PDB file of all heavy atoms in Angstrom:
ATOM      1  N   LYS A 145      48.755 139.888 109.607  1.00  0.00           N
ATOM      2  CA  LYS A 145      48.081 140.388 110.807  1.00  0.00           C
ATOM      3  C   LYS A 145      46.818 141.163 110.451  1.00  0.00           C
ATOM      4  O   LYS A 145      45.780 141.013 111.100  1.00  0.00           O
ATOM      5  CB  LYS A 145      49.035 141.254 111.631  1.00  0.00           C
ATOM      6  CG  LYS A 145      50.100 140.446 112.334  1.00  0.00           C
ATOM      7  CD  LYS A 145      51.054 141.330 113.094  1.00  0.00           C
ATOM      8  CE  LYS A 145      52.138 140.483 113.755  1.00  0.00           C
ATOM      9  NZ  LYS A 145      53.136 141.320 114.445  1.00  0.00           N
ATOM     10  N   THR A 146      46.896 141.975 109.417  1.00  0.00           N
ATOM     11  CA  THR A 146      45.723 142.726 108.969  1.00  0.00           C
ATOM     12  C   THR A 146      44.631 141.790 108.481  1.00  0.00           C
ATOM     13  O   THR A 146      43.452 141.950 108.814  1.00  0.00           O
ATOM     14  CB  THR A 146      46.107 143.712 107.844  1.00  0.00           C
ATOM     15  OG1 THR A 146      47.118 144.596 108.335  1.00  0.00           O
ATOM     16  CG2 THR A 146      44.914 144.502 107.359  1.00  0.00           C
ATOM     17  N   LEU A 147      45.014 140.813 107.701  1.00  0.00           N
ATOM     18  CA  LEU A 147      44.058 139.838 107.175  1.00  0.00           C
ATOM     19  C   LEU A 147      43.393 139.068 108.314  1.00  0.00           C
ATOM     20  O   LEU A 147      42.178 138.854 108.299  1.00  0.00           O
ATOM     21  CB  LEU A 147      44.769 138.893 106.216  1.00  0.00           C
ATOM     22  CG  LEU A 147      43.927 137.925 105.422  1.00  0.00           C
ATOM     23  CD1 LEU A 147      42.895 138.653 104.574  1.00  0.00           C
ATOM     24  CD2 LEU A 147      44.828 137.079 104.526  1.00  0.00           C
ATOM     25  N   GLN A 148      44.157 138.676 109.299  1.00  0.00           N
ATOM     26  CA  GLN A 148      43.597 137.957 110.447  1.00  0.00           C
ATOM     27  C   GLN A 148      42.616 138.838 111.210  1.00  0.00           C
ATOM     28  O   GLN A 148      41.573 138.374 111.648  1.00  0.00           O
ATOM     29  CB  GLN A 148      44.707 137.475 111.378  1.00  0.00           C
ATOM     30  CG  GLN A 148      45.416 136.263 110.845  1.00  0.00           C
ATOM     31  CD  GLN A 148      44.448 135.140 110.533  1.00  0.00           C
ATOM     32  OE1 GLN A 148      44.175 134.855 109.392  1.00  0.00           O
ATOM     33  NE2 GLN A 148      43.915 134.509 111.537  1.00  0.00           N
ATOM     34  N   TRP A 149      42.946 140.109 111.387  1.00  0.00           N
ATOM     35  CA  TRP A 149      42.043 141.025 112.076  1.00  0.00           C
ATOM     36  C   TRP A 149      40.724 141.136 111.322  1.00  0.00           C
ATOM     37  O   TRP A 149      39.654 141.068 111.920  1.00  0.00           O
ATOM     38  CB  TRP A 149      42.707 142.399 112.210  1.00  0.00           C
ATOM     39  CG  TRP A 149      41.787 143.422 112.800  1.00  0.00           C
ATOM     40  CD1 TRP A 149      41.448 143.559 114.112  1.00  0.00           C
ATOM     41  CD2 TRP A 149      41.080 144.432 112.087  1.00  0.00           C
ATOM     42  NE1 TRP A 149      40.574 144.603 114.261  1.00  0.00           N
ATOM     43  CE2 TRP A 149      40.320 145.155 113.030  1.00  0.00           C
ATOM     44  CE3 TRP A 149      41.002 144.798 110.750  1.00  0.00           C
ATOM     45  CZ2 TRP A 149      39.513 146.218 112.672  1.00  0.00           C
ATOM     46  CZ3 TRP A 149      40.200 145.865 110.395  1.00  0.00           C
ATOM     47  CH2 TRP A 149      39.467 146.558 111.360  1.00  0.00           C
ATOM     48  N   ILE A 150      40.812 141.262 110.007  1.00  0.00           N
ATOM     49  CA  ILE A 150      39.602 141.378 109.202  1.00  0.00           C
ATOM     50  C   ILE A 150      38.770 140.105 109.304  1.00  0.00           C
ATOM     51  O   ILE A 150      37.562 140.155 109.530  1.00  0.00           O
ATOM     52  CB  ILE A 150      39.950 141.686 107.726  1.00  0.00           C
ATOM     53  CG1 ILE A 150      40.503 143.104 107.604  1.00  0.00           C
ATOM     54  CG2 ILE A 150      38.736 141.503 106.819  1.00  0.00           C
ATOM     55  CD1 ILE A 150      41.141 143.407 106.263  1.00  0.00           C
ATOM     56  N   LEU A 151      39.416 138.961 109.148  1.00  0.00           N
ATOM     57  CA  LEU A 151      38.679 137.695 109.132  1.00  0.00           C
ATOM     58  C   LEU A 151      38.144 137.307 110.510  1.00  0.00           C
ATOM     59  O   LEU A 151      37.076 136.713 110.604  1.00  0.00           O
ATOM     60  CB  LEU A 151      39.553 136.580 108.577  1.00  0.00           C
ATOM     61  CG  LEU A 151      39.879 136.700 107.093  1.00  0.00           C
ATOM     62  CD1 LEU A 151      40.861 135.618 106.679  1.00  0.00           C
ATOM     63  CD2 LEU A 151      38.619 136.639 106.246  1.00  0.00           C
ATOM     64  N   LYS A 152      38.857 137.605 111.549  1.00  0.00           N
ATOM     65  CA  LYS A 152      38.426 137.196 112.890  1.00  0.00           C
ATOM     66  C   LYS A 152      37.462 138.205 113.512  1.00  0.00           C
ATOM     67  O   LYS A 152      36.394 137.838 113.974  1.00  0.00           O
ATOM     68  CB  LYS A 152      39.633 136.997 113.821  1.00  0.00           C
ATOM     69  CG  LYS A 152      40.598 135.936 113.355  1.00  0.00           C
ATOM     70  CD  LYS A 152      40.011 134.555 113.479  1.00  0.00           C
ATOM     71  CE  LYS A 152      41.045 133.525 113.129  1.00  0.00           C
ATOM     72  NZ  LYS A 152      40.617 132.469 112.294  1.00  0.00           N
ATOM     73  N   GLU A 153      37.854 139.469 113.533  1.00  0.00           N
ATOM     74  CA  GLU A 153      37.049 140.452 114.239  1.00  0.00           C
ATOM     75  C   GLU A 153      35.951 141.050 113.372  1.00  0.00           C
ATOM     76  O   GLU A 153      34.788 141.018 113.739  1.00  0.00           O
ATOM     77  CB  GLU A 153      37.948 141.550 114.804  1.00  0.00           C
ATOM     78  CG  GLU A 153      38.860 141.026 115.897  1.00  0.00           C
ATOM     79  CD  GLU A 153      39.677 142.112 116.543  1.00  0.00           C
ATOM     80  OE1 GLU A 153      39.202 143.266 116.610  1.00  0.00           O
ATOM     81  OE2 GLU A 153      40.798 141.808 116.982  1.00  0.00           O
ATOM     82  N   ARG A 154      36.318 141.609 112.240  1.00  0.00           N
ATOM     83  CA  ARG A 154      35.321 142.280 111.408  1.00  0.00           C
ATOM     84  C   ARG A 154      34.306 141.296 110.829  1.00  0.00           C
ATOM     85  O   ARG A 154      33.123 141.574 110.787  1.00  0.00           O
ATOM     86  CB  ARG A 154      36.002 143.060 110.285  1.00  0.00           C
ATOM     87  CG  ARG A 154      36.955 144.123 110.739  1.00  0.00           C
ATOM     88  CD  ARG A 154      36.336 145.137 111.659  1.00  0.00           C
ATOM     89  NE  ARG A 154      35.252 145.835 111.007  1.00  0.00           N
ATOM     90  CZ  ARG A 154      34.410 146.653 111.609  1.00  0.00           C
ATOM     91  NH1 ARG A 154      34.516 146.877 112.889  1.00  0.00           N
ATOM     92  NH2 ARG A 154      33.449 147.235 110.949  1.00  0.00           N
ATOM     93  N   GLU A 155      34.784 140.139 110.406  1.00  0.00           N
ATOM     94  CA  GLU A 155      33.891 139.140 109.832  1.00  0.00           C
ATOM     95  C   GLU A 155      32.889 138.641 110.864  1.00  0.00           C
ATOM     96  O   GLU A 155      31.718 138.429 110.557  1.00  0.00           O
ATOM     97  CB  GLU A 155      34.703 137.968 109.264  1.00  0.00           C
ATOM     98  CG  GLU A 155      33.888 136.915 108.589  1.00  0.00           C
ATOM     99  CD  GLU A 155      33.259 137.341 107.277  1.00  0.00           C
ATOM    100  OE1 GLU A 155      33.642 138.379 106.720  1.00  0.00           O
ATOM    101  OE2 GLU A 155      32.361 136.623 106.809  1.00  0.00           O
ATOM    102  N   SER A 156      33.318 138.470 112.105  1.00  0.00           N
ATOM    103  CA  SER A 156      32.391 137.992 113.139  1.00  0.00           C
ATOM    104  C   SER A 156      31.332 139.060 113.442  1.00  0.00           C
ATOM    105  O   SER A 156      30.173 138.729 113.692  1.00  0.00           O
ATOM    106  CB  SER A 156      33.138 137.598 114.407  1.00  0.00           C
ATOM    107  OG  SER A 156      33.736 138.705 115.009  1.00  0.00           O
ATOM    108  N   ILE A 157      31.732 140.323 113.405  1.00  0.00           N
ATOM    109  CA  ILE A 157      30.758 141.405 113.604  1.00  0.00           C
ATOM    110  C   ILE A 157      29.719 141.368 112.490  1.00  0.00           C
ATOM    111  O   ILE A 157      28.508 141.450 112.739  1.00  0.00           O
ATOM    112  CB  ILE A 157      31.468 142.777 113.647  1.00  0.00           C
ATOM    113  CG1 ILE A 157      32.308 142.889 114.917  1.00  0.00           C
ATOM    114  CG2 ILE A 157      30.462 143.927 113.553  1.00  0.00           C
ATOM    115  CD1 ILE A 157      33.250 144.083 114.932  1.00  0.00           C
ATOM    116  N   TRP A 158      30.177 141.223 111.250  1.00  0.00           N
ATOM    117  CA  TRP A 158      29.258 141.176 110.109  1.00  0.00           C
ATOM    118  C   TRP A 158      28.354 139.952 110.205  1.00  0.00           C
ATOM    119  O   TRP A 158      27.150 140.045 109.970  1.00  0.00           O
ATOM    120  CB  TRP A 158      30.060 141.157 108.806  1.00  0.00           C
ATOM    121  CG  TRP A 158      29.200 141.147 107.600  1.00  0.00           C
ATOM    122  CD1 TRP A 158      28.645 142.230 106.975  1.00  0.00           C
ATOM    123  CD2 TRP A 158      28.769 140.006 106.856  1.00  0.00           C
ATOM    124  NE1 TRP A 158      27.905 141.829 105.902  1.00  0.00           N
ATOM    125  CE2 TRP A 158      27.959 140.464 105.802  1.00  0.00           C
ATOM    126  CE3 TRP A 158      28.982 138.641 106.985  1.00  0.00           C
ATOM    127  CZ2 TRP A 158      27.374 139.611 104.895  1.00  0.00           C
ATOM    128  CZ3 TRP A 158      28.395 137.790 106.074  1.00  0.00           C
ATOM    129  CH2 TRP A 158      27.598 138.277 105.048  1.00  0.00           C
ATOM    130  N   ARG A 159      28.916 138.794 110.562  1.00  0.00           N
ATOM    131  CA  ARG A 159      28.136 137.561 110.655  1.00  0.00           C
ATOM    132  C   ARG A 159      27.044 137.702 111.723  1.00  0.00           C
ATOM    133  O   ARG A 159      25.904 137.294 111.507  1.00  0.00           O
ATOM    134  CB  ARG A 159      29.066 136.393 110.985  1.00  0.00           C
ATOM    135  CG  ARG A 159      28.570 135.085 110.462  1.00  0.00           C
ATOM    136  CD  ARG A 159      29.529 133.935 110.730  1.00  0.00           C
ATOM    137  NE  ARG A 159      30.750 134.027 109.948  1.00  0.00           N
ATOM    138  CZ  ARG A 159      31.978 133.939 110.438  1.00  0.00           C
ATOM    139  NH1 ARG A 159      32.179 133.728 111.713  1.00  0.00           N
ATOM    140  NH2 ARG A 159      33.018 134.025 109.651  1.00  0.00           N
TER     141      ARG A 159
END
Side-chain angles (χ1 to χ4, degrees):
K145 288 178 182 177
T146 302
L147 188 58
Q148 283 305 107
W149 175 77
I150 290 168
L151 292 174
K152 300 290 185 224
E153 293 185 31
R154 300 304 299 171
E155 183 70 14
S156 66
I157 291 169
W158 182 85
R159 208 177 291 129

